[in-house]
Amino acid sequence: MGKLLSHRLAVPVVIALLVVALSFAMPSNFYYRVAALVWISALAVIGLNLLMGYAGQVSLGHAGFFGIGAYAVAVLPAQFGLHPLVAALAGAVATAAIAFLVGRPILRLKGHYLAVATLGFGILIAMTISNEAWLTGGPDGMPVERLTLFGWRVRGADTWYWISGGLLVIGAWIACNLVASPTGRALRALHDSEVAARVAGIDVARAKLTVFVISAVYASVAGSTLALVNGFVTPDKANFLHSIELVTMVVLGGMGSILGSLAGAAILVVLPQVLTGFHDYEHMILGLIMMVIMIVLRAGIVPSLAAFFQGRRNK
Amino acid sequence: MSTTTPLLAVDGIGISFGGVRAVDNVGFTARAGEVFSIIGPNGAGKTTLFNLVSGVYTPKAGSVHLAGEPVTALEPNRLAERGLSRTFQNLQVFFRMTARENVMVGRHLREKRGLLAHLFALPSTGRQNRESAAVADALLERVGLSAQADIPAANLSYGALKRLEIARALAAEPKALLLDEPAAGCNAVETEEIEKLIRRIADDGVAVVLVEHDMKLVMRISDRILVLDQGRVLAEGSAAEIRSNPKVIEAYLGTHGTREANLALD
Ligand SMILES: Nc1ncnc2c1ncn2[C@@H]1O[C@H](COP(=O)(O)OP(=O)(O)OP(=O)(O)O)[C@@H](O)[C@H]1O
Ligand SMILES: [Mg+2]
């Protein structure tokens, strides 16, 4: 059982089963929509977790990459008549290029310094999006052209549920592949000891840059998908508050846990919906729940629970 | 195997920290197949010397040659590519990874890179993983850690971690290997195991440079010994020469090593 769960394909398969199983339990379009939002957030969180949980490098600017992906599918079709999928691809390529250029100087920094530098980068992107109103609609945002595939207009919360769920499974599969590869081992190694990683022949600067670019592309793809689902983009998804939210999802769900990324995203997307009934107290209760989770499950939801059940089985 | 040309040649190397010359004009050569030991009191500069040679610190003066090529001030990963590996006195282990994975990281240079193959789990990546795991398992066996292969390094004993670092360093198939106090914290039996292990590594043609406070081990195993004191070379020679050197006895052996060193004679 433990062996089966540690297989490289276990997590993507579990997520795929979850996507399929949940589809039978969806009472209404609203639920499909919330679930789709969970899948999309989880995709971005998996990417950020590769950077934070595996390589041990923080980023408080990932909403910037998310925003680039979102605005790519809004701006490029509107301005240049590109197909939304081509626009999403262009957004991902642009994100990779920007992450590469920004990452080279920034990733030399460590800990809090890296946090502040990435925060600054994220704010820069959000400000640019807000300020260039002629292109982006400014703070009010702009509409996104509906996705059409081979003459078929993609619409309906259930359709987006399956598309974003599929993307999540692919994202989880790629992340698990990476973690179990020589590159993934290099990332985990430099997390624990940079000097030992370098002595083992790892080009630490390059390895950090690689994972930074990969995680930025995850955010960009998630941003593009969300823009297409919503049919509208606003700058707040590029905002630093969203960056903080993504980091919170990583830590809540569990650093270095792909399944945890989904758990963290699910909690922070679903709980606010559940708590709307509490009106004024919604945010207080959410904050309280987050604190309790971190105090009780220090390593994050999935790793802590896994350790708990492992311990019980070994008794 | 040529024993005439030194595999590792360090010449006039030095560095200061805040005006203190931690290593000052130190030189030595280590040949393939020999165990070359560096001893000296605490704070003599042994670890700093390792850091200079392995590229962790950039020397202020002097040069390092590896297999005849200049490698001074190269990054540690570039030095690793050229065949230099080392272990650490203050353990530098990948604690979140299993023992096997730690050693697999040591294989990094011998592994195929191809990021796309890694992201999409192409068959070549699976082959590579199995190959690295097989090498790691063989090395774990060699250092006596087979039973602990799947245990996270964080749960291993101090002595086991010391051996794990050796296995990881060996995984790169280095030409020169720097060992910083591999027997620290080991009991007599474990020390004997380490001694055999080091001897075999050298017999395989590796130039082993050993820093160690266990004088019995040093005197038995070393082909040549360099004594450092306050960052400078105090003496160099065979075990017998070092043992009977009055300067060395005064600076180092006299304080806590002569008895052990003489015991090693028997
Ligand atoms: N990064 C550093 N910054 C400042 N001083 C340093 C640094 N590294 C080493 N030193 C100093 O250099 C001197 C030599 O230290 P080093 O660790 O090389 O000694 P050592 O011979 O390895 O001692 P030990 O036997 O205790 O391991 C010491 O005085 C130490 O404080
Ligand atoms: Mg030392």
Side-chain angles (χ1 to χ4, degrees):
Chain A
M1 180 70 181
K3 192 132 196 166
L4 211 59
L5 274 177
S6 63
H7 190 275
R8 176 173 55 80
L9 291 176
V11 170
V13 166
V14 165
I15 295 178
L17 291 176
L18 195 69
V19 171
V20 172
L22 269 184
S23 75
F24 292 106
M26 290 290 154
S28 73
N29 262 344
F30 172 74
Y31 286 81
Y32 271 118
R33 191 183 139 68
V34 172
L37 296 182
V38 170
W39 305 152
I40 292 167
S41 285
L43 186 62
V45 177
I46 286 175
L48 188 55
N49 212 337
L50 289 175
L51 180 71
M52 286 179 58
Y54 290 96
Q57 311 298 310
V58 72
S59 168
L60 294 181
H62 258 48
F65 299 123
F66 195 96
I68 294 172
Y71 275 85
V73 295
V75 172
L76 296 180
Q79 294 281 331
F80 308 104
L82 285 189
H83 187 275
L85 285 189
V86 178
L89 191 67
V93 171
T95 298
I98 292 170
F100 183 82
L101 291 175
V102 172
R104 274 159 71 111
I106 271 189
L107 290 167
R108 283 200 216 122
L109 304 172
K110 291 195 166 89
H112 300 104
Y113 302 97
L114 178 62
V116 171
T118 50
L119 182 68
F121 161 77
I123 290 174
L124 190 73
I125 298 287
M127 292 301 277
T128 307
I129 290 173
S130 285
N131 289 343
E132 305 301 315
W134 60 277
L135 194 66
T136 63
D140 299 333
M142 68 183 287
V144 178
E145 192 183 293
R146 287 288 169 191
L147 179 62
T148 312
L149 287 175
F150 313 110
W152 168 59
R153 267 172 67 92
V154 181
R155 56 195 299 177
D158 52 343
T159 310
W160 282 113
Y161 173 97
W162 290 111
I163 292 176
S164 50
L167 283 173
L168 175 64
V169 171
I170 294 170
W173 176 67
I174 290 176
C176 290
N177 290 342
L178 182 72
V179 169
S181 76
T183 303
R185 286 193 291 277
L187 296 175
R188 292 155 67 206
L190 72 86
H191 188 176
D192 280 336
S193 170
E194 283 197 18
V195 68
R198 293 165 79 200
V199 164
I202 294 165
D203 186 336
V204 165
R206 208 181 92 167
K208 286 183 187 174
L209 190 57
T210 302
V211 70
F212 188 67
V213 170
I214 291 171
S215 72
V217 169
Y218 269 84
S220 176
V221 172
S224 296
T225 312
L226 184 70
L228 288 170
V229 172
N230 285 342
F232 203 84
V233 287
T234 50
D236 63 325
K237 281 293 170 192
N239 193 302
F240 85 95
L241 275 178
H242 187 220
S243 288
I244 307 279
E245 192 179 18
L246 292 173
V247 170
T248 310
M249 288 170 174
V250 170
V251 177
L252 268 187
M255 300 258 279
S257 166
I258 301 298
L259 211 51
S261 303
L262 176 56
I267 292 227
L268 281 201
V269 172
V270 174
L271 264 189
Q273 305 284 350
V274 174
L275 295 174
T276 44
F278 292 93
H279 302 294
D280 296 349
Y281 300 104
E282 174 194 335
H283 290 108
M284 283 174 64
I285 297 174
L286 182 62
L288 199 65
I289 292 176
M290 279 164 57
M291 279 174 61
V292 170
I293 290 178
M294 285 327 295
I295 290 167
V296 178
L297 307 169
R298 281 155 194 272
I301 297 168
V302 170
S304 295
L305 291 181
F308 177 74
F309 287 114
Q310 192 85 37
R312 275 182 38 149
R313 187 151 0 103
N314 292 349
K315 259 184 213 152
Chain B
M1 165 178 50
S2 156
T3 47
T4 47
T5 50
L7 197 45
L8 183 64
V10 177
D11 188 31
I13 209 163
I15 193 170
S16 311
F17 296 110
V20 179
R21 291 185 177 169
V23 171
D24 187 11
N25 193 23
V26 172
F28 68 88
T29 60
R31 291 185 281 260
E34 81 171 337
V35 177
F36 183 89
S37 291
I38 299 172
I39 61 172
N42 294 114
K46 306 178 295 292
T47 298
T48 306
L49 179 59
F50 270 15
N51 284 337
L52 289 169
V53 172
S54 62
V56 175
Y57 292 164
T58 308
K60 205 181 68 177
S63 67
V64 182
H65 284 75
L66 187 62
E69 286 181 39
V71 295
T72 319
L74 281 188
E75 294 273 301
N77 51 306
R78 299 271 167 255
L79 272 161
E81 283 167 11
R82 288 157 187 256
L84 183 87
S85 194
R86 67 171 287 189
T87 65
F88 298 86
Q89 178 182 358
N90 62 331
L91 296 168
Q92 295 289 333
V93 173
F94 310 129
F95 283 109
R96 272 167 268 228
M97 305 173 83
T98 64
R100 179 186 291 115
E101 286 172 330
N102 266 267
V103 183
M104 287 170 83
V105 172
R107 284 303 283 173
H108 184 78
L109 286 171
R110 311 271 166 185
E111 291 178 320
K112 286 208 191 66
R113 302 301 160 78
L115 183 60
L116 284 182
H118 294 171
L119 289 172
F120 296 100
L122 300 188
S124 63
T125 306
R127 269 199 306 276
Q128 183 64 74
N129 283 340
R130 283 190 292 279
E131 199 180 301
S132 297
V135 173
D137 284 346
L139 283 168
L140 286 172
E141 165 115 59
R142 193 167 163 188
V143 301
L145 290 174
S146 284
Q148 283 94 328
D150 290 307
I151 295 179
N155 299 348
L156 294 180
S157 71
Y158 183 82
L161 292 173
K162 283 266 160 198
R163 281 177 286 152
L164 182 63
E165 281 209 355
I166 297 177
R168 182 180 68 195
L170 288 176
E173 299 173 29
K175 293 186 201 136
L177 177 60
L178 316 181
L179 300 172
D180 201 346
E181 304 201 12
C186 290
N187 62 34
V189 180
E190 288 167 337
T191 302
E192 207 167 306
E193 294 293 317
I194 297 256
E195 179 179 345
K196 278 189 222 150
L197 179 63
I198 295 174
R199 197 63 257 173
R200 261 192 302 156
I201 295 167
D203 288 346
D204 286 344
V206 175
V208 178
V209 184
L210 173 71
V211 165
E212 185 52 63
H213 280 297
D214 184 330
M215 279 308 116
K216 278 191 271 184
L217 171 59
V218 169
M219 292 300 162
R220 277 198 307 258
I221 203 172
S222 309
D223 293 298
R224 286 180 302 138
I225 300 172
L226 178 83
V227 187
L228 281 189
D229 186 32
Q230 297 183 24
R232 300 213 187 109
V233 175
L234 194 67
E236 189 189 331
S238 67
E241 286 162 357
I242 293 301
R243 245 189 328 252
S244 54
N245 184 321
K247 277 197 293 182
V248 177
I249 293 170
E250 189 192 341
Y252 183 49
L253 294 183
T255 54
H256 67 290
T258 9
R259 204 176 55 86
E260 282 185 15
N262 286 330
L263 279 175
L265 269 174
D266 310 333

